[in-house]
Amino acid sequence: MTSEESGKILQFLPFSSVISSSFWHKLTQMKIDVYALSDEPVDITGYYTNQSASSRLPACLNVDYSSFENHHASVVGRNGILCQGLLQNTNTFEAFKDINKQAAINKCGEQIWNDILSGAALLNPSLLTRFLLLTFADLKKYQFYYWFAFPTLVFPSKIILDEEPKELDKVLTKDELHQLQQAYDQYKATCGQSAFLVEKNPDLGFKCHPLKELANLKDTTWVGFCDPSSLPTNPGWPLRNLLALIAYHHKERLAGLSVLCWRDEVRDGQRRIGSSLLIEIKDVVYPTENETNPKCLGWEKNERGKLGARMVNLSNSMDPERLANSAVDLNLKLMKWRLLPELNLDIVQNTKCLLLGAGTLGCYVARTLMAWGVRHITFIDNGRVSYSNPVRQSLYTFKDCLNGGQPKAESAANCLREIFPGMISRGIDLRIPMPGHYVTDAEEIEKDVQLLADAINEHDVVFLLTDTRESRWLPSMLSAYLGKLVINAALGFDTYLVMRHGQREPWNPGQVQSEKSKGVMRGALVGRQLGCYFCNDVVAPGDSTKDRTLDQQCTVTRPGISLIASGLAVELMVSVLQHPEGGNASAEISTAAMTTVQQHQQEPDNKEISGSPLGVVPHSIRGFLHRHQQVLPATEAFYNCTACSPLVIKRYAEEGYAFLSEVFNNPDCLEQVSGLADLHKDIASIEDWDYPEESEESND
């Protein structure tokens, strides 16, 4: 009768995977932000414990959000044992299915075997407990396919026992258990390895040693390991590779070896190690095949008990707001995978935008800003939603028109939060004071001016989207004073203008003022030299709503114009933000400039491409829908501009609201302050010049 026939074959409890939902959230983030299209394996970590509260629980290997961090064993708890793993996330479900599973686990097994051969596993026993995780993440449906492998070497092929494993409290006395527990705690505080040696000395009691001292193995020494199993007769999966290590380095000593399956449990508030197992190995059977590397197995079975992948669907269990928060920016982050790796999405998302006007332009600009990932939008408008608005203004519905109409600014802000709860949006019901519109309640208007100034100061970008020219003057002047980036959009019947104002530093009385404008129509101008919406005007803004018919009071345009202008306005802002110079980006006037993608295609070795990765950053875009044409003029700041002139800004800095009150009641004041009045006189004097008549000289 052979030893195999007369003894019991030792069987091991395989690992069962436990995946926290936080792992999938982190994988989603890493896939979008870091891995992109790469399907190369990456290092991760997992952990198991040798502390089980029930004998019916499986031996669990856990992964969570921290698995992607290169942490130490201290973060997995007192009884946590850190394991090294490999994650391979595929780009398609077909690639996930087509992976050669046997080749994949053999590669991991080869790595374990090499660590055994080199002795590295003696110094660091955690190298023996590796795992492999194959995944495919369907980020549109939030379904995750995965398959775990816990590679174990078939070496030896069988372990023969003379008797069933015994619980430690049936082998040792209570005092001996206490001594062993103290010896282990002392060892763990200094070494903390998952496998160790236990030396039993009749006089000195127990003492634990690192596994690397295996060469000094004595008959009275046990080999111990942290056992994740809670079964009364079966040790956990990590013992298999530990026995392979011992079999390779001390083959002659494996038969007759005592193995301590260390289980450090807490039950009813009491720590107990008595359920640890002591296994006496009688004999060993080795593989008959003469192979370089032992066979490797360990793929986890699915919930049906068969070898196969599993799938988890998180779409129903996730918080809808959190789900939306991670999904809304998916399209943007996908841009970085292939097309625009230089794209800086954080700077866009963190930009606070102030929209002056919640009409047709304001609604479309807000929606486009949201699509670009902007999270902070404030509306300023004093109108109410009318019955003609919802069909043209996308943030309103018929219900908003009832009972006299809801305030536009507040309704628009509420709608943004309904579309995406993660939006930080608010509405300010405010009528912007304007030149030429006489002030009747000075105290109320002064409050409005201060509210507008505070709002501009709290935001990074100001969009001018109001109906009238003069309503843009005060925000233009205040933005120039505060050094804010201004994007302006204005509509005609079949024409449109989108432009950025020249962005300079906030007003400083000691700063050097710009020289008088000469006008530039070719080349490029740096951002601080660019003009504003009023720089091309030679008259001050006045009351443009006086004595107007209905068609003149309303913004009558071809319906598609507002969508085009709104989209261009936001794209211009994003292009400025992506430029290395930001608001000081030079203004291009040529549409022949290439995007970063095109530049890389033509110059693949050029790693330092200047400018915005999104292409040209013009000063202004003038469009003519009747001939489907766009031009990109750039003009220098006008020294006598009624809005951004240093003469006007200085007057406001010195007098504050007193100066504004004068402007509101008498717009001619702006022409006096800016120097336009003197310019008019100079032009008039030139026109009135009395040129002498040419005399006809006789040839006689």
Side-chain angles (χ1 to χ4, degrees):
M1 180 181 293
T2 65
S3 59
E4 182 176 348
E5 293 172 340
S6 61
K8 172 181 172 57
I9 298 176
L10 181 63
Q11 294 183 325
F12 306 86
L13 178 65
F15 272 123
S16 295
S17 62
V18 176
I19 307 181
S20 168
S21 60
S22 64
F23 177 87
W24 300 121
H25 291 299
K26 187 67 175 180
L27 175 60
T28 299
Q29 177 189 339
M30 298 294 289
K31 171 64 176 176
I32 295 175
D33 296 335
V34 180
Y35 304 151
L37 292 171
S38 173
D39 57 3
E40 292 297 316
V42 296
D43 293 327
I44 60 172
T45 59
Y47 69 94
Y48 71 88
T49 71
N50 62 337
Q51 180 181 12
S52 176
S54 172
S55 61
R56 292 174 293 180
L57 294 177
C60 298
L61 190 141
N62 304 267
V63 293
D64 55 23
Y65 72 96
S66 65
S67 297
F68 296 88
E69 303 170 2
N70 186 20
H71 53 56
H72 302 286
S74 59
V75 302
V76 296
R78 185 178 68 89
N79 287 338
I81 293 89
L82 199 65
C83 305
Q84 303 298 320
L86 208 60
L87 168 70
Q88 184 171 3
N89 184 66
T90 62
N91 289 307
T92 65
F93 184 61
E94 288 70 21
F96 174 78
K97 294 189 297 183
D98 292 343
I99 289 179
N100 188 324
K101 309 302 187 300
Q102 190 58 50
I105 197 172
N106 284 344
K107 188 174 182 180
C108 289
E110 182 180 348
Q111 190 172 10
I112 295 173
W113 183 245
N114 289 336
D115 289 335
I116 291 176
L117 299 182
S118 67
L122 287 171
L123 301 176
N124 183 9
S126 66
L127 297 176
L128 299 171
T129 313
R130 295 180 180 271
F131 66 92
L132 172 64
L133 175 56
L134 306 180
T135 61
F136 165 66
D138 186 340
L139 300 186
K140 287 190 174 182
K141 299 179 180 178
Y142 281 86
Q143 295 178 347
F144 301 88
Y145 298 84
Y146 68 97
W147 199 350
F148 264 95
F150 308 103
T152 183
L153 302 173
V154 185
F155 184 83
S157 58
K158 293 180 182 179
I159 301 294
I160 311 300
L161 307 180
D162 193 25
E163 57 183 353
E164 292 281 354
K166 297 180 180 179
E167 290 190 348
L168 203 57
D169 56 5
K170 296 179 181 179
V171 178
L172 302 179
T173 66
K174 187 175 182 180
D175 289 340
E176 289 176 325
L177 286 174
H178 183 67
Q179 292 176 9
L180 178 58
Q181 180 177 301
Q182 287 183 321
Y184 174 78
D185 290 344
Q186 184 178 2
Y187 163 79
K188 185 177 181 181
T190 56
C191 298
Q193 294 181 338
S194 59
F196 51 93
L197 304 177
V198 179
E199 182 181 8
K200 184 179 180 181
N201 188 299
D203 299 324
L204 302 178
F206 292 97
K207 185 177 181 180
C208 295
H209 301 273
L211 192 63
K212 63 183 179 181
E213 298 181 14
L214 188 61
N216 302 323
L217 186 67
K218 298 179 180 179
D219 293 338
T220 56
T221 303
W222 302 339
V223 173
F225 79 103
C226 296
D227 186 12
S229 173
S230 59
L231 298 182
T233 58
N234 302 98
W237 209 240
L239 180 57
R240 298 196 65 158
N241 289 337
L242 178 59
L243 293 179
L245 173 70
I246 298 173
Y248 177 79
H249 288 281
H250 295 275
K251 184 176 182 180
E252 73 285 355
R253 304 297 297 272
L254 188 56
L257 182 68
S258 298
V259 178
L260 173 62
C261 306
W262 184 258
R263 300 175 180 180
D264 203 341
E265 302 175 351
V266 176
R267 295 188 183 181
D268 300 326
Q270 298 292 323
R271 181 183 179 189
R272 57 188 305 268
I273 61 171
S275 60
S276 300
L277 298 184
L278 189 63
I279 299 174
E280 303 288 346
I281 297 178
K282 177 183 179 182
D283 201 359
V284 180
V285 178
Y286 290 94
T288 56
E289 299 87 348
N290 186 16
E291 297 181 353
T292 305
N293 297 326
K295 289 183 179 180
C296 187
L297 51 85
W299 284 106
E300 183 181 24
K301 294 182 179 180
N302 58 26
E303 57 274 7
R304 297 187 298 274
K306 298 181 179 179
L307 289 176
R310 303 186 182 202
M311 189 272 283
V312 58
N313 186 347
L314 295 186
S315 60
N316 295 326
S317 60
M318 290 178 65
D319 177 9
E321 292 190 12
R322 186 173 180 179
L323 183 62
N325 192 50
S326 60
V328 290
D329 294 333
L330 179 61
N331 181 66
L332 297 174
K333 293 181 177 180
L334 293 180
M335 293 181 185
K336 301 183 66 172
W337 285 18
R338 298 179 192 266
L339 301 175
L340 293 171
E342 305 92 343
L343 193 62
N344 185 345
L345 295 176
D346 291 336
I347 194 174
V348 179
Q349 188 175 57
N350 296 328
T351 298
K352 298 179 180 179
C353 295
L354 177 63
L355 277 55
L356 303 181
T360 307
L361 285 171
C363 290
Y364 288 128
V365 165
R367 292 302 298 262
T368 312
L369 287 172
M370 290 178 66
W372 262 111
V374 173
R375 294 290 177 266
H376 196 300
I377 297 176
T378 300
F379 295 93
I380 288 183
D381 200 303
N382 75 319
R384 291 182 173 271
V385 183
S386 66
Y387 289 102
S388 64
N389 293 155
V391 294
R392 296 178 296 110
Q393 300 174 9
S394 58
L395 297 182
Y396 310 123
T397 65
F398 176 76
K399 292 181 180 180
D400 297 318
C401 308
L402 303 178
N403 302 317
Q406 298 298 311
K408 278 191 170 183
E410 183 179 344
S411 295
N414 292 339
C415 184
L416 294 189
R417 292 192 296 272
E418 290 178 4
I419 295 171
F420 174 47
M423 288 297 300
I424 303 172
S425 59
R426 67 184 179 117
I428 302 176
D429 194 347
L430 171 68
R431 180 179 182 273
I432 300 175
M434 297 174 279
H437 293 247
Y438 191 79
V439 174
T440 57
D441 188 344
E443 185 177 348
E444 189 67 26
I445 295 298
E446 186 174 2
K447 291 181 181 179
D448 290 343
V449 169
Q450 188 59 50
L451 184 58
L452 177 62
D454 291 342
I456 292 175
N457 192 43
E458 293 169 0
H459 292 76
D460 304 304
V461 180
V462 179
F463 283 85
L464 301 184
L465 311 169
T466 54
D467 290 335
T468 62
R469 175 171 167 264
E470 62 267 29
S471 62
R472 301 170 189 241
W473 176 83
L474 181 58
S476 295
M477 190 276 295
L478 291 174
S479 297
Y481 173 74
L482 296 169
K484 300 296 182 178
L485 175 62
V486 176
I487 304 294
N488 185 39
L491 306 179
F493 169 66
D494 57 3
T495 60
Y496 55 88
L497 167 67
V498 174
M499 69 181 299
R500 59 179 169 122
H501 291 189
Q503 186 178 12
R504 291 169 280 280
E505 295 296 323
W507 175 261
N508 181 355
Q511 68 187 3
V512 178
Q513 306 302 333
S514 59
E515 297 180 355
K516 291 187 177 182
S517 172
K518 299 177 182 178
V520 176
M521 294 303 293
R522 295 186 179 182
L525 287 170
V526 294
R528 60 178 176 272
Q529 296 176 324
L530 299 174
C532 76
Y533 182 61
F534 295 91
C535 279
N536 291 330
D537 294 340
V538 292
V539 294
D543 188 351
S544 63
T545 62
K546 186 178 180 181
D547 194 27
R548 282 193 167 195
T549 60
L550 179 62
D551 64 318
Q552 294 172 326
Q553 295 174 25
C554 300
T555 304
V556 180
T557 66
R558 292 173 61 171
I561 286 279
S562 56
L563 284 83
I564 297 172
S566 301
L568 289 174
V570 176
E571 294 294 334
L572 179 58
M573 180 204 78
V574 176
S575 295
V576 171
L577 296 179
Q578 296 297 315
H579 197 282
E581 298 293 330
N584 197 40
S586 299
E588 301 285 350
I589 61 174
S590 171
T591 56
M594 294 181 290
T595 65
T596 300
V597 176
Q598 294 169 326
Q599 292 181 60
H600 278 305
Q601 290 174 347
Q602 295 199 10
E603 300 180 59
D605 297 330
N606 184 9
K607 297 182 180 179
E608 297 184 1
I609 296 177
S610 61
S612 171
L614 296 173
V616 300
V617 186
H619 176 208
S620 61
I621 307 168
R622 290 186 177 270
F624 309 92
L625 195 56
H626 59 281
R627 58 177 185 264
H628 297 281
Q629 183 184 17
Q630 283 184 173
V631 294
L632 307 179
T635 55
E636 197 174 9
F638 182 29
Y639 185 76
N640 300 110
C641 175
T642 58
C644 69
S645 165
L647 302 172
V648 175
I649 303 298
K650 180 181 179 183
R651 185 71 172 271
Y652 170 72
E654 293 173 348
E655 300 181 11
Y657 178 73
F659 166 63
L660 297 180
S661 179
E662 187 178 355
V663 171
F664 300 150
N665 292 318
N666 179 20
D668 293 338
C669 168
L670 281 176
E671 296 186 359
Q672 297 293 334
V673 174
S674 65
L676 278 181
D678 293 335
L679 183 61
H680 292 165
K681 291 178 182 179
D682 292 342
I683 295 175
S685 64
I686 294 175
E687 293 176 348
D688 293 341
W689 188 272
D690 187 14
Y691 291 94
E693 296 182 2
E694 293 184 2
S695 60
E696 295 182 5
E697 297 184 1
S698 173
N699 293 327
D700 295 341

